[in-house]
Amino acid sequence: MTISVVLAEDQGMVLGAFAALLRLEPDLDVVATATDGHKALAAVLEHDPDVLVTDVEMPGISGLDVAAALRRDGHRARVVIVTTFARSGYLRRAMDSGVAGYVLKDAPIDQLVGVVRRVHAGERVVDPQLAMAAWDSADPMTDRERDVLRLAADGLPNGEIAARLHLAEGTVRNYLSTAITKLGVRNRIEAARLARDRGWL
Amino acid sequence: MTISVVLAEDQGMVLGAFAALLRLEPDLDVVATATDGHKALAAVLEHDPDVLVTDVEMPGISGLDVAAALRRDGHRARVVIVTTFARSGYLRRAMDSGVAGYVLKDAPIDQLVGVVRRVHAGERVVDPQLAMAAWDSADPMTDRERDVLRLAADGLPNGEIAARLHLAEGTVRNYLSTAITKLGVRNRIEAARLARDRGWL
DNA sequence: GGTTGCGGCTGACGAATGTCACGGTTGTCG
DNA sequence: CGACAACCGTGACATTCGTCAGCCGCAACC
């Protein structure tokens, strides 16, 4: 019995390479591919595959959002996330979204096929060293601090951030200040870098 | 007659997928793979391949640096750059380094094989729409402005930037100001984003 | 030789950012 | 209930950042 797979990845060349590779496995059947989150979701609904293999960072909606949507609708497809960086925040959100597997693009290629099979067999598979890292790095920021930092990271000045969030400018400064302190950095730029690297934005 | 290829790419899974794919072509022979710039350079020197296919962004030295080193030593290997983003600054540097081919990971997978063959045949191949973009987007910044912006992008405050470059703090502020004006943005954060996206840092 | 333009460099000054002390609301626990 | 802790929100104040006017050296050009 073959395992049907939908594959989503925004870089066409990588998508093509992964697809070609999975097709070499006799027990796997790549029934569709997609280059963004919306198309991935549509492809899953249309083809009802056993497994969805998806990148996190894609144009439009992310792979994590697709996983959350499938879980909400009670869809049977099991989701494997394949991503570039070991961002522990992503892993946490992935777990909350009921993702079944989490693999790094740094890993050897054989892992991908193996994880697809194990996930289809009912296991939940996470890169072990990544699972460790997720524990001791919980996001210390509050929702408001995250909102403000997200906008600050795009280069918006405080005044504009305040306008968008309907806050006083002093309030925006204060949230940024607490975020900077909590993260142990010197200014908004370093705060944004650190938070992004950890997957907290 | 087969074309011998060395393949360099830091993400193990992508490297494996590309390698597997190139090996499917009867006229291509992948003689070695590498996961960073140093290993790529060593592999080329050891195996003397016809073509080196390499990513730009890798730990240690970049693919562009490898290309420049090979050119300097007068090595016969022809270089194909495969990269994620259409950063026109990279393309410019690639051309200066004597790179023979430049492909985007967004492109379909068939292009990679095609470009390797065409490059081996003596052609110089660049994604056409990318070549257009490179023309009208020359870096308007001076060397000093670039130095300062690079450090500012890492979140260093002006005082520390000044110390590292042996400048007065006012001078640093001024370079950043001119850079911000030239790029047509509002502050250092937006300037850093824009310059990075264009490959100017 | 004059002058025109560009890049490196600087200090002064207004504008934005970061810090601090504080009040209001909500939820939890003894 | 009262005490406590956590988060949201604000204005005042010091620090940092961004802009401006200007000086120097150098190369291009008539």
Side-chain angles (χ1 to χ4, degrees):
Chain A
M1 189 199 76
T2 67
I3 306 172
S4 60
V5 177
V6 165
L7 190 57
E9 155 71 50
D10 64 328
Q11 293 180 18
M13 200 164 281
V14 177
L15 173 63
F18 282 179
L21 220 83
L22 293 183
R23 282 193 227 275
L24 292 181
E25 303 296 320
D27 59 333
L28 299 185
D29 183 16
V30 178
V31 296
T33 63
T35 53
D36 65 51
H38 289 290
K39 289 177 190 157
L41 195 49
V44 169
L45 297 181
E46 182 186 345
H47 294 92
D48 187 34
D50 298 316
V51 180
L52 166 68
V53 175
T54 178
D55 194 2
V56 171
E57 288 164 336
M58 290 185 293
I61 63 176
S62 80
L64 294 176
D65 295 332
V66 174
L70 290 176
R71 181 189 186 73
R72 184 163 24 76
D73 298 350
H75 198 283
R76 72 181 196 88
R78 293 177 68 74
V79 177
V80 174
I81 301 283
V82 184
T83 192
T84 304
F85 293 109
R87 297 188 175 165
S88 40
Y90 283 171
L91 178 57
R92 184 171 300 267
R93 270 192 276 162
M95 286 306 155
D96 294 343
S97 304
V99 160
Y102 201 99
V103 191
L104 297 180
K105 282 187 187 170
D106 283 331
I109 184 70
D110 325 292
Q111 272 205 12
L112 181 56
V113 180
V115 169
V116 169
R117 290 202 186 99
R118 290 170 62 191
V119 159
H120 178 249
E123 283 186 67
R124 227 171 170 205
V125 187
V126 172
D127 189 299
Q129 72 199 81
L130 186 54
M132 300 302 294
W135 260 126
D136 53 19
S137 70
D139 184 350
M141 287 186 291
T142 68
D143 291 340
R144 256 356 205 166
E145 285 158 6
R146 218 179 347 270
D147 292 342
V148 170
L149 184 54
R150 220 191 311 269
L151 294 176
D154 286 336
L156 297 188
N158 289 335
E160 191 156 337
I161 296 174
R164 291 210 193 178
L165 300 181
H166 308 293
L167 291 174
E169 199 175 319
T171 309
V172 170
R173 281 201 285 275
N174 193 37
Y175 283 140
L176 274 172
S177 180
T178 57
I180 288 167
T181 304
K182 283 179 179 174
L183 299 181
V185 294
R186 282 179 295 186
N187 52 49
R188 62 181 64 199
I189 301 180
E190 290 187 343
R193 279 172 83 81
L194 182 60
R196 229 188 256 294
D197 286 349
R198 301 254 170 107
W200 292 337
L201 287 190
Chain B
M1 188 201 76
T2 67
I3 306 171
S4 61
V5 177
V6 165
L7 190 58
E9 154 72 52
D10 64 328
Q11 293 180 17
M13 200 164 282
V14 177
L15 172 64
F18 282 179
L21 220 84
L22 292 184
R23 282 192 227 274
L24 293 181
E25 304 295 321
D27 59 333
L28 299 186
D29 184 16
V30 178
V31 295
T33 63
T35 54
D36 66 51
H38 290 290
K39 289 177 190 157
L41 196 48
V44 169
L45 297 180
E46 182 186 345
H47 294 92
D48 188 32
D50 298 315
V51 179
L52 166 67
V53 176
T54 178
D55 193 1
V56 171
E57 288 165 336
M58 289 186 294
I61 62 176
S62 79
L64 294 176
D65 295 332
V66 174
L70 290 176
R71 180 189 188 72
R72 185 163 22 79
D73 297 351
H75 198 283
R76 71 180 197 90
R78 294 176 68 75
V79 178
V80 174
I81 301 283
V82 184
T83 192
T84 303
F85 294 111
R87 297 187 175 165
S88 40
Y90 282 171
L91 177 57
R92 184 171 301 266
R93 269 192 277 162
M95 286 305 154
D96 293 344
S97 304
V99 161
Y102 200 99
V103 191
L104 297 180
K105 283 187 187 170
D106 282 330
I109 183 70
D110 325 293
Q111 272 205 13
L112 181 57
V113 179
V115 169
V116 169
R117 291 204 185 96
R118 290 170 62 191
V119 159
H120 178 248
E123 284 186 66
R124 229 172 170 202
V125 186
V126 172
D127 188 301
Q129 72 198 81
L130 186 55
M132 300 303 295
W135 262 126
D136 51 20
S137 70
D139 185 349
M141 286 185 291
T142 66
D143 290 339
R144 269 334 217 178
E145 286 159 4
R146 217 178 350 269
D147 293 340
V148 170
L149 185 54
R150 222 190 311 268
L151 295 175
D154 286 336
L156 296 188
N158 288 336
E160 191 155 336
I161 296 174
R164 293 209 193 180
L165 300 181
H166 308 291
L167 292 175
E169 197 175 321
T171 310
V172 170
R173 281 201 283 276
N174 194 36
Y175 283 141
L176 274 171
S177 179
T178 56
I180 287 167
T181 303
K182 283 179 179 174
L183 299 182
V185 294
R186 282 181 293 186
N187 52 49
R188 62 180 63 199
I189 302 180
E190 292 187 342
R193 279 171 83 80
L194 181 60
R196 228 187 257 293
D197 286 349
R198 301 255 170 106
W200 292 338
L201 288 188

